Amino acid sequence: MKENKTQEQPALRDMWLVLTYFLFFIFLAWKVPFVIGALILGYYFSIILSVPYDYVLKKTKQRYLAVVAYVIVVLIFAYAIGSFFPIVVNQISSVLQSAQSAQFNLALPSWVLNYLNEFKTNISSFLTQLLKYVANVLPSLFTMIVLLIVTMAGIESIRFYFKERLNLLFIDDPKYGEQFVLHFFGAVKRYLRGQVLVSFLSATLTTIGLYVIGVPYAMTLGILSFIGGFFPFVGLLITAVPMYLLAFTSQGVKGMIWLTVLLVVVNQTESWVYGPRIQGNNLKLHWFVILLSIFVFGSVLGFAGVLIALPILLFIREYWKFYVLPLRNRKSIYQTQQGGKK
């Protein structure tokens, strides 16, 4: 009986240690969201940017060509950091001015016109608050960008440093703990790599559709939709706001209807055609659980919560598989053995 109790104890101690690390990380994300957000984004983008490197290396077997591909993508990313977001902010400002000055001279019932005017006012208010928020957090955003660049530059050395010391995080079974950590990060990596292709296809279809509809800044909105593709559901909601504004100010109600058709077609094509084939069974999580976790962690932790919501779900899944289920199975076996002795 003592022997069986001793066999259960190591899993319990490591299990509580892992849970402590997890809660400490959540606490940091709550207290210093921009620092944690920068580290998470740095890890995300390091994986995303490694996709062309690995692809070129696999196809050509030439490491220098893979390095060239990686450097080109990094330069494009650096250019986007330096110019893309200011452009987006300027476009939001111009759209805000257009929305505020827009007049509805349509042959529609008065209640419809009142509803459209109210919608215009609400959107203008939302964009105004968004610009104020961006202005208030600019110092933190600058710190975040610096941390993001540093993290991306040193991600390989950081990985190597922690990988060599993973055994120090566990007491009784370091090898099993290392397996858990590597399996968890492997799940996150597989998801991000698959999402690169999924988001690229969706962004390409969206950009082509915006050009066909006649919505201005189609390329800018396409890039925005590519980035939003890494944040399920929330990314679509956020990127849809400037799309609808530009569609309405340029094409009117007809443009909004065509944009709705476009977004539904792209979303459904992603969900039923190429999304499942590319991602396979990487997530194995119900869509409502993903949506709920993003809104909950986003509400509690803000920007960092949106970034870490999906990894948290993957962590909980792997934690349950590696620590909770084996412990429960051992307990069931132990109780069965004790029942047999009686």
Side-chain angles (χ1 to χ4, degrees):
M1 184 172 177
K2 278 187 178 181
E3 184 179 354
N4 287 329
K5 186 176 180 180
T6 305
Q7 289 174 354
E8 290 181 14
Q9 191 65 22
L12 277 173
R13 293 200 293 183
D14 279 352
M15 182 175 71
W16 285 110
L17 262 180
V18 172
L19 187 59
T20 302
Y21 299 146
F22 170 72
L23 294 176
F24 180 65
F25 175 78
I26 297 296
F27 174 78
L28 290 179
W30 175 44
K31 287 298 184 181
V32 284
F34 283 97
V35 174
I36 297 300
L39 295 175
I40 297 298
L41 275 179
Y43 175 72
Y44 281 6
F45 281 115
S46 69
I47 294 176
I48 294 169
L49 294 174
S50 67
V51 172
Y53 174 90
D54 294 338
Y55 178 81
V56 173
L57 184 63
K58 181 180 179 180
K59 292 296 182 180
T60 66
K61 309 298 183 183
Q62 300 294 327
R63 188 172 296 276
Y64 77 93
L65 291 177
V67 172
V68 170
Y70 182 85
V71 170
I72 291 174
V73 175
V74 169
L75 291 176
I76 294 173
F77 173 77
Y79 174 78
I81 288 291
S83 62
F84 172 70
F85 291 105
I87 290 174
V88 171
V89 172
N90 290 334
Q91 294 305 322
I92 290 177
S93 300
S94 63
V95 171
L96 177 59
Q97 294 174 0
S98 300
Q100 289 174 337
S101 61
Q103 298 295 328
F104 304 110
N105 299 316
L106 303 172
L108 294 173
S110 59
W111 66 269
V112 175
L113 291 175
N114 291 334
Y115 177 79
L116 291 175
N117 280 316
E118 184 180 353
F119 174 76
K120 182 193 74 173
T121 302
N122 292 335
I123 290 298
S124 299
S125 176
F126 168 76
L127 290 175
T128 302
Q129 294 298 323
L130 179 62
L131 290 176
K132 288 181 180 179
Y133 175 78
V134 172
N136 290 333
V137 300
L138 275 178
S140 299
L141 284 174
F142 178 76
T143 303
M144 181 178 175
I145 290 173
V146 172
L147 280 172
L148 174 60
I149 295 173
V150 171
T151 303
M152 288 178 60
I155 194 69
E156 288 302 324
S157 61
I158 293 173
R159 278 187 200 160
F160 179 78
Y161 178 85
F162 281 103
K163 188 175 181 180
E164 292 296 310
R165 291 162 178 80
L166 277 178
N167 60 324
L168 300 178
L169 298 176
F170 304 94
I171 297 176
D172 298 293
D173 198 345
K175 291 293 183 184
Y176 190 76
E178 289 180 27
Q179 185 181 358
F180 162 73
V181 173
L182 295 176
H183 202 272
F184 162 65
F185 278 100
V188 176
K189 185 176 181 179
R190 287 193 303 273
Y191 164 73
L192 289 174
R193 282 176 170 261
Q195 198 61 27
V196 169
L197 185 54
V198 172
S199 295
F200 177 77
L201 292 174
S202 296
T204 301
L205 293 175
T206 301
T207 304
I208 294 172
L210 292 173
Y211 272 119
V212 172
I213 295 172
V215 177
Y217 309 110
M219 183 61 71
T220 301
L221 295 173
I223 297 173
L224 191 63
S225 68
F226 172 77
I227 297 174
F230 291 92
F231 308 100
F233 307 108
V234 173
L236 177 62
L237 293 175
I238 294 175
T239 56
V241 172
M243 288 183 187
Y244 273 104
L245 277 173
L246 286 166
F248 182 73
T249 54
S250 62
Q251 303 291 326
V253 177
K254 181 182 70 173
M256 296 179 67
I257 294 174
W258 279 113
L259 177 61
T260 302
V261 173
L262 170 65
L263 294 180
V264 169
V265 169
V266 172
N267 180 263
Q268 292 302 307
T269 304
E270 175 185 325
S271 300
W272 296 100
V273 180
Y274 55 85
R277 293 188 180 186
I278 294 172
Q279 287 289 21
N281 294 321
N282 283 344
L283 293 182
K284 295 181 181 177
L285 298 170
H286 195 276
W287 66 268
F288 182 75
V289 176
I290 298 174
L291 179 62
L292 183 63
S293 67
I294 290 174
F295 280 117
V296 169
F297 287 109
S299 300
V300 175
L301 303 176
F303 172 73
V306 175
L307 290 177
I308 65 177
L310 193 57
I312 285 176
L313 287 180
L314 293 175
F315 173 88
I316 293 173
R317 186 185 69 182
E318 300 305 321
Y319 181 79
W320 191 267
K321 286 165 54 178
F322 271 77
Y323 286 102
V324 178
L325 287 181
L327 185 65
R328 188 175 66 178
N329 292 337
R330 280 203 296 268
K331 187 175 181 179
S332 299
I333 293 173
Y334 174 72
Q335 290 176 343
T336 301
Q337 291 175 345
Q338 292 300 109
K341 290 180 180 179
K342 289 180 182 180

PDB file of all heavy atoms in Angstrom, residues 30 32-34 62 223 248 255 294:
ATOM      1  N   TRP A  30      -1.843  39.826 -16.461  1.00  0.00           N
ATOM      2  CA  TRP A  30      -2.797  40.784 -15.896  1.00  0.00           C
ATOM      3  C   TRP A  30      -2.109  42.077 -15.486  1.00  0.00           C
ATOM      4  O   TRP A  30      -2.605  43.174 -15.750  1.00  0.00           O
ATOM      5  CB  TRP A  30      -3.495  40.135 -14.703  1.00  0.00           C
ATOM      6  CG  TRP A  30      -4.415  41.054 -13.945  1.00  0.00           C
ATOM      7  CD1 TRP A  30      -5.325  41.928 -14.480  1.00  0.00           C
ATOM      8  CD2 TRP A  30      -4.513  41.171 -12.524  1.00  0.00           C
ATOM      9  NE1 TRP A  30      -5.977  42.596 -13.465  1.00  0.00           N
ATOM     10  CE2 TRP A  30      -5.506  42.156 -12.260  1.00  0.00           C
ATOM     11  CE3 TRP A  30      -3.870  40.540 -11.464  1.00  0.00           C
ATOM     12  CZ2 TRP A  30      -5.866  42.516 -10.967  1.00  0.00           C
ATOM     13  CZ3 TRP A  30      -4.233  40.902 -10.167  1.00  0.00           C
ATOM     14  CH2 TRP A  30      -5.213  41.873  -9.924  1.00  0.00           C
ATOM     15  N   VAL A  32       1.252  43.142 -16.290  1.00  0.00           N
ATOM     16  CA  VAL A  32       2.096  43.779 -17.321  1.00  0.00           C
ATOM     17  C   VAL A  32       1.689  43.236 -18.690  1.00  0.00           C
ATOM     18  O   VAL A  32       2.452  42.523 -19.349  1.00  0.00           O
ATOM     19  CB  VAL A  32       3.598  43.545 -17.053  1.00  0.00           C
ATOM     20  CG1 VAL A  32       4.088  44.437 -15.927  1.00  0.00           C
ATOM     21  CG2 VAL A  32       3.881  42.078 -16.717  1.00  0.00           C
ATOM     22  N   PRO A  33       0.487  43.585 -19.158  1.00  0.00           N
ATOM     23  CA  PRO A  33      -0.035  42.984 -20.394  1.00  0.00           C
ATOM     24  C   PRO A  33       0.793  43.296 -21.628  1.00  0.00           C
ATOM     25  O   PRO A  33       0.915  42.452 -22.521  1.00  0.00           O
ATOM     26  CB  PRO A  33      -1.449  43.581 -20.505  1.00  0.00           C
ATOM     27  CG  PRO A  33      -1.404  44.835 -19.707  1.00  0.00           C
ATOM     28  CD  PRO A  33      -0.455  44.559 -18.586  1.00  0.00           C
ATOM     29  N   PHE A  34       1.367  44.513 -21.711  1.00  0.00           N
ATOM     30  CA  PHE A  34       2.113  44.862 -22.910  1.00  0.00           C
ATOM     31  C   PHE A  34       3.451  44.121 -22.977  1.00  0.00           C
ATOM     32  O   PHE A  34       3.925  43.792 -24.062  1.00  0.00           O
ATOM     33  CB  PHE A  34       2.328  46.373 -22.975  1.00  0.00           C
ATOM     34  CG  PHE A  34       1.114  47.129 -23.406  1.00  0.00           C
ATOM     35  CD1 PHE A  34       0.270  47.707 -22.468  1.00  0.00           C
ATOM     36  CD2 PHE A  34       0.773  47.240 -24.740  1.00  0.00           C
ATOM     37  CE1 PHE A  34      -0.868  48.388 -22.861  1.00  0.00           C
ATOM     38  CE2 PHE A  34      -0.362  47.923 -25.154  1.00  0.00           C
ATOM     39  CZ  PHE A  34      -1.184  48.496 -24.201  1.00  0.00           C
ATOM     40  N   GLN A  62      19.168  24.274 -49.907  1.00  0.00           N
ATOM     41  CA  GLN A  62      20.230  25.282 -49.827  1.00  0.00           C
ATOM     42  C   GLN A  62      19.938  26.204 -48.637  1.00  0.00           C
ATOM     43  O   GLN A  62      18.982  26.970 -48.665  1.00  0.00           O
ATOM     44  CB  GLN A  62      20.298  26.109 -51.124  1.00  0.00           C
ATOM     45  CG  GLN A  62      20.582  25.300 -52.372  1.00  0.00           C
ATOM     46  CD  GLN A  62      21.978  24.693 -52.358  1.00  0.00           C
ATOM     47  OE1 GLN A  62      22.923  25.282 -51.817  1.00  0.00           O
ATOM     48  NE2 GLN A  62      22.122  23.517 -52.955  1.00  0.00           N
ATOM     49  N   ILE A 223      -4.333  42.889 -45.900  1.00  0.00           N
ATOM     50  CA  ILE A 223      -3.251  42.636 -44.933  1.00  0.00           C
ATOM     51  C   ILE A 223      -3.807  42.595 -43.518  1.00  0.00           C
ATOM     52  O   ILE A 223      -3.429  41.760 -42.692  1.00  0.00           O
ATOM     53  CB  ILE A 223      -2.147  43.699 -45.062  1.00  0.00           C
ATOM     54  CG1 ILE A 223      -1.505  43.624 -46.448  1.00  0.00           C
ATOM     55  CG2 ILE A 223      -1.088  43.524 -43.980  1.00  0.00           C
ATOM     56  CD1 ILE A 223      -0.521  44.736 -46.729  1.00  0.00           C
ATOM     57  N   PHE A 248     -19.389  51.309 -47.161  1.00  0.00           N
ATOM     58  CA  PHE A 248     -20.558  52.171 -47.086  1.00  0.00           C
ATOM     59  C   PHE A 248     -20.278  53.564 -47.656  1.00  0.00           C
ATOM     60  O   PHE A 248     -21.085  54.112 -48.416  1.00  0.00           O
ATOM     61  CB  PHE A 248     -21.024  52.291 -45.642  1.00  0.00           C
ATOM     62  CG  PHE A 248     -22.250  53.137 -45.482  1.00  0.00           C
ATOM     63  CD1 PHE A 248     -23.485  52.673 -45.887  1.00  0.00           C
ATOM     64  CD2 PHE A 248     -22.161  54.408 -44.948  1.00  0.00           C
ATOM     65  CE1 PHE A 248     -24.619  53.453 -45.763  1.00  0.00           C
ATOM     66  CE2 PHE A 248     -23.281  55.200 -44.822  1.00  0.00           C
ATOM     67  CZ  PHE A 248     -24.520  54.721 -45.217  1.00  0.00           C
ATOM     68  N   GLY A 255     -22.876  48.408 -51.304  1.00  0.00           N
ATOM     69  CA  GLY A 255     -21.532  47.938 -50.984  1.00  0.00           C
ATOM     70  C   GLY A 255     -21.500  47.122 -49.706  1.00  0.00           C
ATOM     71  O   GLY A 255     -20.774  46.125 -49.606  1.00  0.00           O
ATOM     72  N   ILE A 294     -11.822  33.587 -25.750  1.00  0.00           N
ATOM     73  CA  ILE A 294     -11.256  34.832 -26.264  1.00  0.00           C
ATOM     74  C   ILE A 294     -11.942  36.028 -25.628  1.00  0.00           C
ATOM     75  O   ILE A 294     -11.281  36.991 -25.194  1.00  0.00           O
ATOM     76  CB  ILE A 294     -11.373  34.885 -27.803  1.00  0.00           C
ATOM     77  CG1 ILE A 294     -10.429  33.861 -28.429  1.00  0.00           C
ATOM     78  CG2 ILE A 294     -11.046  36.279 -28.324  1.00  0.00           C
ATOM     79  CD1 ILE A 294     -10.569  33.734 -29.923  1.00  0.00           C
TER      80      ILE A 294
END
